[in-house]
Amino acid sequence: MKTAVTAGIFVLCLGTLSCTDDDVLVIQNPGDPPSGDLTCTSCPEGTACVEGRCVSSSEACSGNSRVCIDGTLYVCDENEWAYLSICEFGCAETQDACAPTGSAESCVQNARRCAGIDVQECRNGQWVTLETCREACDDTTQTCRITETCKDGSRICLDGRLSSCLSGSWNDGDVCEHGCLADQSGCRACAPGTSRCTDSTLEWCEDGVWRELKTCDTGCDESGTSCALTVSCVEGSTACTSGLLHTCRDGQYDDGVSCPFGCSPDAMSCAQCAEGDVRCADRAVERCELGAWKRETACDMGCLASEARCAECRDGSTRCESGAVSACSQGLWGTSTPCPYGCNDAGTACGEPNQNVPTRYLMSDLHSPVTAYVVTQMKSIAARGTGQNDVVFMKIGDSHYDTSFDGKFMKCFSTADSNAVDLGGRNELQPVITAFQSSKDSFLRNSLAAKGGQSTRYSFLTSVSSAQPTPLAAEMSAMKPRFAFFGHGSNDIGNGSFCHTGTTCPSGFSGYAWALQDYYQQIRHVMTDLVSSGIIPLVSGITPNMRSESKINYLSGAPSLYWEWDNPGHMVLTFNAVTRGNAEAMQVPFFNVYLAVNDLTDHGLRSDNIHTSTSGSPCNFTSAGLAYGANQRNLGSIQMLDKAWRTVVNGESAPDKVGIVFVGSGTHTDPVVIDSLPFTHSSDTTSAQNRIGSYAGKCSTASECGGEVYYRLDLKEKKALRVFALSSVKSTVDVDIHVMRGQPQAASCIARSDIMVQGTFAPGTYYFSVDTYCDNGTARPGVYLFGVVECDAGDRNCETVY
């Protein structure tokens, strides 16, 4: 006997039991072997039973024809369908063969997966949504799971199981034979559309609950599903029992004909339709209820017969939402195309470039765009310091910028240096080089604010004598520069392997999270000091760090505590995102030195795997010279200085047009869209609305009584991510990061941290809220930097699965 599964019950065709060749044997309680109530049901007229299914006459067996049903291929053998093979990737569109192996759109038949909060199954080579979970989909079991906190004694129905709360957690629950009620409050008592007759009372199952219809004057029939037929009847009248419609002829009911959808609830006629089915009729969606079609929704723009739902739009119309435009075709919105400048005010098309909005910086750009807005910001900074020298710059950084330590950064441009300069045909750079070969010779100077082995904190640490200024203040006073190269970060990453010597990390802070927030706060400190003095920061990123996974002490003295796996190389892109994000927030130039050197031999590094390489002059910009990291850094730096000097000092026009902009205002209904990775965005929670005061589930119950800003990320595939929210001022600002799956609400929260959440995220829609923490009832809002960065392959800090 052959079996197949249909709609959760076992169906058998043919075999040794008494069903006829065209009958289907339905087993209500499947098992191994199947058992339970066995009933025979005829396939509807015009169909035949094939391997547990009633198939249409168009699939009749003849010759050597084949038919593919639910991923199984059958061949006609002596005018009977016979099993041939299982289609690994489902059926082909023609339904007479298997789908091609390895098809880009195909999947393994009957495989399951979680797609966000949807449980999906592969059918005929395509993913079909079986169920949309109310809360979350479990990647391990591919079923819905419960994340909300429960109270002992409470119950919930999910994924066909009725679960109860015991000791603060949900048990596995009993299987609901007929599924869950629509409101998920319990199990269905019956299958919608079925009937029963008990003690002469006829009942009909509506929405999983038995409803009394009428009292049977003649009692129940033998099947127990209908009233028994009366002995005599009125000529021409009808009655329905056990799915058969009887007509009164010569005073008695005949044997009846089969009702394809069973009897109507009053058992006086055949049902018009199967309970719960939907269809299009007269520009409306109709649903089958109590065996008859009932109007459910009027469709202003027509009804899509193929999908039995209202059309979304009128053909030819367009819309623009969340920074992307789409066109309407056959009643449905098509694929969205991102708009570089957001949507227009009407929400019908892409917007036009706006020169009066901040410029967005992408990590895929070697240099950030110097647009009219950026030029205006730089000129505004310059106006704050009229005593600064327009042809002088200073250096702030670690060994990469310490001329006495390395001697490679910019020094070769000085007329006092013996290294030759070869611009490689870039003669447009000669004027800026000549201009800064002034009496102070910025190229040659050993800056007081650049020292090997130091983190960003060094720049403004008090000197040995309290009467002396900080290195930053001393260099600013000595040079009075208009521009300042900033190049810290490598040693700040090293601080992540431990907290500063003689101390331990604050409670709950991992080393890298602590170091990342500290780095953000310190570079804001340095750049704020520069800007307030009329000095324009020229910011560079961090080069790759290829040191092996081991404990590395970047500060003097032994570390007091190691917090996590210490491979600084895994954190470079994250620290680079913070560096770029801070430059973006201040709208000052940024040079992505990582992008410039990463594809070079040995990533443009020397044998120590951290300092940049060179051969000959580091100011050789021919193709041969640019094969080395130090040369790439010098070229990118002089190009950055050239654009800033030409526009701010010489008054030339902005060289770059406006780039892309951020989409979304940051509210829970209009979140900022995360449209590319890595992503950073600086904002302020001071004026943000407070919707969520605390977060349930796995998240903390800490008070978040201040306002929050929302972000949205749509993942089409699984990704390992590092998500952070950095507070700008240690003493007064405190924001926290919350991760929500599916909906921007407290009950959807799956992770929370003071600074950073790291892990592997399944496909789906995620919302992130940067929420203001309350300290003893006092909110601590302010400026922050939010970011999402993909983790490197092999980064063990991102192994937690969400």
Side-chain angles (χ1 to χ4, degrees):
M1 184 176 295
K2 300 174 182 178
T3 66
V5 178
T6 301
I9 59 176
F10 270 76
V11 179
L12 295 81
C13 289
L14 309 181
T16 59
L17 297 183
S18 59
C19 294
T20 64
D21 286 352
D22 286 335
D23 284 348
V24 176
L25 177 63
V26 180
I27 301 177
Q28 299 294 342
N29 299 308
D32 189 14
S35 63
D37 298 331
L38 309 181
T39 59
C40 295
T41 302
S42 298
C43 287
E45 185 177 352
T47 66
C49 184
V50 176
E51 293 296 326
R53 281 189 46 150
C54 296
V55 299
S56 67
S57 56
S58 62
E59 296 169 329
C61 177
S62 63
N64 293 319
S65 58
R66 298 186 180 192
V67 62
C68 193
I69 303 173
D70 281 346
T72 302
L73 186 63
Y74 303 93
V75 64
C76 188
D77 182 11
E78 297 181 358
N79 297 323
E80 292 186 2
W81 289 113
Y83 167 83
L84 183 61
S85 66
I86 296 293
C87 297
E88 182 180 2
F89 295 98
C91 300
E93 292 184 2
T94 58
Q95 299 299 307
D96 60 1
C98 292
T101 302
S103 170
E105 298 297 324
S106 62
C107 50
V108 178
Q109 181 70 8
N110 297 326
R112 281 200 176 193
R113 72 175 184 181
C114 287
I117 60 173
D118 292 337
V119 179
Q120 294 185 335
E121 184 173 271
C122 183
R123 293 181 179 176
N124 296 332
Q126 294 185 345
W127 289 108
V128 176
T129 297
L130 300 180
E131 180 179 10
T132 298
C133 300
R134 190 175 71 175
E135 299 184 27
C137 181
D138 191 312
D139 287 311
T140 302
T141 63
Q142 290 84 47
T143 59
C144 294
R145 62 183 172 89
I146 309 168
T147 60
E148 68 178 30
T149 303
C150 64
K151 295 181 180 180
D152 284 359
S154 58
R155 299 193 307 169
I156 189 171
C157 194
L158 196 65
D159 194 32
R161 290 178 177 270
L162 182 63
S163 301
S164 58
C165 184
L166 300 173
S167 302
S169 61
W170 297 105
N171 62 14
D172 290 337
D174 297 325
V175 175
C176 294
E177 180 182 354
H178 304 293
C180 298
L181 293 171
D183 62 2
Q184 301 292 311
S185 62
C187 295
R188 288 173 173 168
C190 49
T194 58
S195 61
R196 72 179 181 183
C197 190
T198 307
D199 296 332
S200 297
T201 299
L202 181 62
E203 295 176 317
W204 177 268
C205 186
E206 183 181 359
D207 296 330
V209 178
W210 288 114
R211 310 289 186 189
E212 184 176 328
L213 288 176
K214 70 179 197 177
T215 300
C216 299
D217 295 335
T218 54
C220 302
D221 68 0
E222 294 181 357
S223 69
T225 60
S226 306
C227 293
L229 295 176
T230 58
V231 174
S232 61
C233 56
V234 177
E235 188 71 16
S237 63
T238 58
C240 200
T241 63
S242 305
L244 297 174
L245 180 63
H246 307 273
T247 302
C248 186
R249 305 181 191 280
D250 299 328
Q252 290 186 332
Y253 285 111
D254 61 15
D255 292 338
V257 294
S258 175
C259 294
F261 302 107
C263 296
S264 62
D266 61 5
M268 298 301 293
S269 62
C270 288
Q272 300 174 15
C273 47
E275 193 74 9
D277 281 358
V278 290
R279 73 174 184 181
C280 288
D282 191 23
R283 296 181 64 84
V285 174
E286 293 184 339
R287 183 176 297 275
C288 187
E289 295 180 4
L290 301 179
W293 289 111
K294 293 184 179 180
R295 190 181 182 90
E296 182 178 64
T297 308
C299 300
D300 294 337
M301 291 175 284
C303 188
L304 304 177
S306 61
E307 301 187 33
R309 65 185 177 100
C310 291
E312 298 175 345
C313 50
R314 289 185 172 87
D315 285 1
S317 60
T318 59
R319 71 174 180 182
C320 195
E321 292 183 347
S322 301
V325 67
S326 53
C328 184
S329 176
Q330 298 182 350
L332 298 175
W333 291 113
T335 304
S336 296
T337 302
C339 296
Y341 313 112
C343 300
N344 63 7
D345 292 339
T348 57
C350 291
E352 297 296 325
N354 185 349
Q355 297 289 345
N356 297 317
V357 296
T359 300
R360 187 171 165 196
Y361 299 178
L362 297 180
M363 195 59 90
S364 57
D365 295 333
L366 186 63
H367 288 276
S368 63
V370 178
T371 64
Y373 189 92
V374 172
V375 172
T376 299
Q377 293 302 110
M378 290 194 292
K379 287 182 176 179
S380 175
I381 294 172
R384 302 181 187 184
T386 56
Q388 304 306 119
N389 191 323
D390 287 339
V391 290
V392 173
F393 65 79
M394 63 181 289
K395 307 165 190 173
I396 307 167
D398 48 30
S399 55
H400 298 289
Y401 294 81
D402 182 355
T403 306
S404 64
F405 178 91
D406 191 89
K408 295 177 182 176
F409 183 68
M410 307 290 274
K411 184 179 178 181
C412 48
F413 289 119
S414 171
T415 55
D417 190 78
S418 60
N419 284 294
V421 176
D422 188 335
L423 298 180
R426 300 171 183 83
N427 296 328
E428 71 277 4
L429 296 175
Q430 189 57 55
V432 72
I433 297 172
T434 301
F436 282 83
Q437 289 171 339
S438 60
S439 58
K440 288 196 173 182
D441 198 349
S442 304
F443 298 121
L444 188 65
R445 179 175 173 80
N446 293 330
S447 173
L448 299 173
K451 186 173 179 61
Q454 296 297 325
S455 67
T456 313
R457 283 175 169 262
Y458 168 78
S459 302
F460 54 86
L461 289 176
T462 303
S463 300
V464 177
S465 169
S466 60
Q468 293 180 330
T470 65
L472 180 64
E475 188 68 7
M476 289 167 59
S477 176
M479 296 295 285
K480 297 193 180 304
R482 174 62 68 205
F483 304 96
F485 284 101
F486 175 88
H488 271 295
S490 296
N491 295 301
D492 296 83
I493 294 178
N495 292 345
S497 62
F498 58 93
C499 293
H500 284 296
T501 303
T503 66
T504 60
C505 291
S507 177
F509 285 72
S510 65
Y512 283 129
W514 179 90
L516 191 68
Q517 173 144 294
D518 185 69
Y519 176 60
Y520 169 62
Q521 292 171 348
Q522 306 323 320
I523 59 176
R524 277 184 55 85
H525 186 136
V526 171
M527 292 188 191
T528 300
D529 283 356
L530 294 173
V531 167
S532 63
S533 299
I535 303 171
I536 300 169
L538 305 176
V539 185
S540 291
I542 309 169
T543 55
N545 185 325
M546 305 308 296
R547 292 195 174 186
S548 60
E549 187 166 344
S550 60
K551 304 300 180 185
I552 305 172
N553 187 352
Y554 284 81
L555 302 179
S556 59
S560 58
L561 188 61
Y562 291 102
W563 280 80
E564 48 194 302
W565 301 289
D566 179 27
N567 188 340
H570 288 318
M571 294 301 297
V572 170
L573 291 181
T574 303
F575 274 73
N576 257 336
V578 171
T579 312
R580 182 206 63 183
N582 197 72
E584 179 182 71
M586 292 189 170
Q587 292 288 276
V588 296
F590 174 76
F591 167 48
N592 190 349
V593 66
Y594 182 97
L595 194 62
V597 306
N598 192 48
D599 290 336
L600 301 180
T601 301
D602 297 326
H603 306 280
L605 302 178
R606 298 195 318 220
S607 58
D608 63 4
N609 284 328
I610 191 168
H611 294 99
T612 50
S613 61
T614 191
S615 177
S617 171
C619 283
N620 177 4
F621 301 150
T622 64
S623 58
L626 291 177
Y628 298 94
N631 301 55
Q632 288 280 0
R633 187 197 297 274
N634 281 339
L635 174 59
S637 297
I638 198 65
Q639 288 174 328
M640 183 165 50
L641 177 63
D642 180 59
K643 285 187 177 183
W645 176 70
R646 286 178 181 272
T647 55
V648 175
V649 177
N650 293 354
E652 296 183 15
S653 300
D656 301 314
K657 294 182 179 180
V658 66
I660 63 172
V661 297
F662 290 104
V663 175
S665 61
T667 65
H668 76 285
T669 56
D670 185 31
V672 179
V673 177
I674 303 171
D675 51 9
S676 63
L677 297 177
F679 176 91
T680 56
H681 181 258
S682 179
S683 191
D684 191 335
T685 62
T686 302
S687 300
Q689 179 187 6
N690 175 31
R691 287 188 67 250
I692 302 177
S694 65
Y695 294 76
K698 292 176 60 177
C699 299
S700 170
T701 57
S703 175
E704 307 283 353
C705 70
E708 62 262 13
V709 179
Y710 292 85
Y711 299 84
R712 172 174 174 156
L713 172 65
D714 293 305
L715 284 182
K716 295 183 178 180
E717 59 184 2
K718 181 171 65 176
K719 285 187 180 294
L721 302 175
R722 182 172 289 115
V723 186
F724 57 82
L726 309 177
S727 303
S728 59
V729 183
K730 181 178 181 181
S731 58
T732 60
V733 179
D734 192 342
V735 298
D736 303 315
I737 182 69
H738 300 81
V739 183
M740 295 161 284
R741 181 165 20 221
Q743 295 293 332
Q745 56 190 19
S748 301
C749 189
I750 59 173
R752 182 261 192 196
S753 176
D754 292 327
I755 298 176
M756 187 164 67
V757 174
Q758 306 174 100
T760 300
F761 294 79
T765 297
Y766 295 87
Y767 291 87
F768 307 98
S769 70
V770 178
D771 209 338
T772 305
Y773 177 74
C774 289
D775 188 3
N776 294 321
T778 301
R780 298 178 65 183
V783 174
Y784 67 86
L785 181 68
F786 168 81
V788 183
V789 180
E790 286 192 68
C791 302
D792 291 344
D795 188 344
R796 297 169 64 191
N797 295 301
C798 302
E799 292 179 342
T800 301
V801 177
Y802 290 106

